[in-house]
Amino acid sequence: MIPETYSTSFTLATRDCDLCGTWRPSAVLEAMQEAACAHCDRMACGRNDLLRRGIAWVVVRTELSLRRCARIGEKVSVGTFPTRQRLRLFPRFFTFTGENGDEIGNASSLWVLMDLEKRCMLDPSALDFRVPDNSGMNPPLRYPSAAKPVSGTTVTSLYVPVWSDLDVNGHVNNARYADWLCNALGTEDMRSQYISSLVLDYDLECLPDDRLLFSLTRAGSHFFMRGTREAKAVFTVSGELSPRA
């Protein structure tokens, strides 16, 4: 029987937290990735199952909503479940709860299957595994929408991905974009505020030695950041900052 849901719990360690001792956005994305991978392993469509066919899961859009900052030493539970495939997109949802069952936040994401040799999206119709329908479950968040631009002051910079940005699929890991965003927002603002909402679009695969132009626009508590390569969007991210408690 295919497991319809998956959950895991762990205690936030120093490696998961930022200068303020709270769960880093990139570490939240990493926890989502690990939970999704563990669930896929149980559904016989995990990394090792797909690698034999030259395929890998790749996330193309994520929306994250955090009600509060989880802190170092806190036990956190991550729950996840997929829903019915939409054309070539595989939706997956996440919940984050504290040790006492209080809601930390939720996330939604869209995934595709990538042909590792051709570096392109794969039509999944020929594959022999099935993702649970889960149509009776109530998603904790909507399907992720596109990142939304804001009007305000824009700051630009250049960046070339480094070794620590890359993952086993040969491109920049999805969680690194959140680190890039936090770095661009700056230490002063991140000390007093946290990212309470985030939409991340992975528009193009980001590879080693890509030369990226970053542009960050701020409008009060809202932000919009884009990374482009030769005038083409590689990623876009938008969201909002909220005061730390």
Side-chain angles (χ1 to χ4, degrees), residues 178-215:
D179 285 332
W180 295 351
L181 170 65
C182 291
N183 292 340
L185 291 171
T187 302
E188 183 177 350
D189 281 347
M190 293 302 295
R191 279 182 188 272
S192 59
Q193 301 172 91
Y194 76 100
I195 296 173
S196 54
S197 68
L198 181 74
V199 175
L200 227 170
D201 287 324
Y202 305 95
D203 301 299
L204 291 174
E205 190 178 17
C206 190
L207 300 170
D209 301 323
D210 276 351
R211 295 183 61 84
L212 302 177
L213 174 65
F214 287 172
S215 60

Side-chain angles (χ1 to χ4, degrees), residues 6-84:
Y6 175 83
S7 64
T8 184
S9 299
F10 57 92
T11 300
L12 291 180
T14 53
R15 64 177 177 272
D16 305 309
C17 297
D18 56 22
L19 178 66
C20 298
T22 56
W23 202 7
R24 285 183 292 106
S26 60
V28 177
L29 296 181
E30 287 170 350
M32 291 165 55
Q33 177 176 286
E34 293 302 318
C37 288
H39 192 197
C40 286
D41 284 340
R42 297 190 178 195
M43 297 190 298
C45 59
R47 176 173 173 78
N48 291 333
D49 299 290
L50 295 184
L51 276 180
R52 288 192 286 269
R53 314 178 201 189
I55 304 169
W57 288 109
V58 175
V59 62
V60 294
R61 181 176 291 171
T62 294
E63 183 163 354
L64 177 64
S65 175
L66 295 176
R67 295 173 60 90
R68 67 173 180 86
C69 294
R71 303 196 62 84
I72 188 170
E74 182 175 354
K75 187 176 181 180
V76 171
S77 295
V78 179
T80 183
F81 64 90
T83 56
R84 186 171 58 187

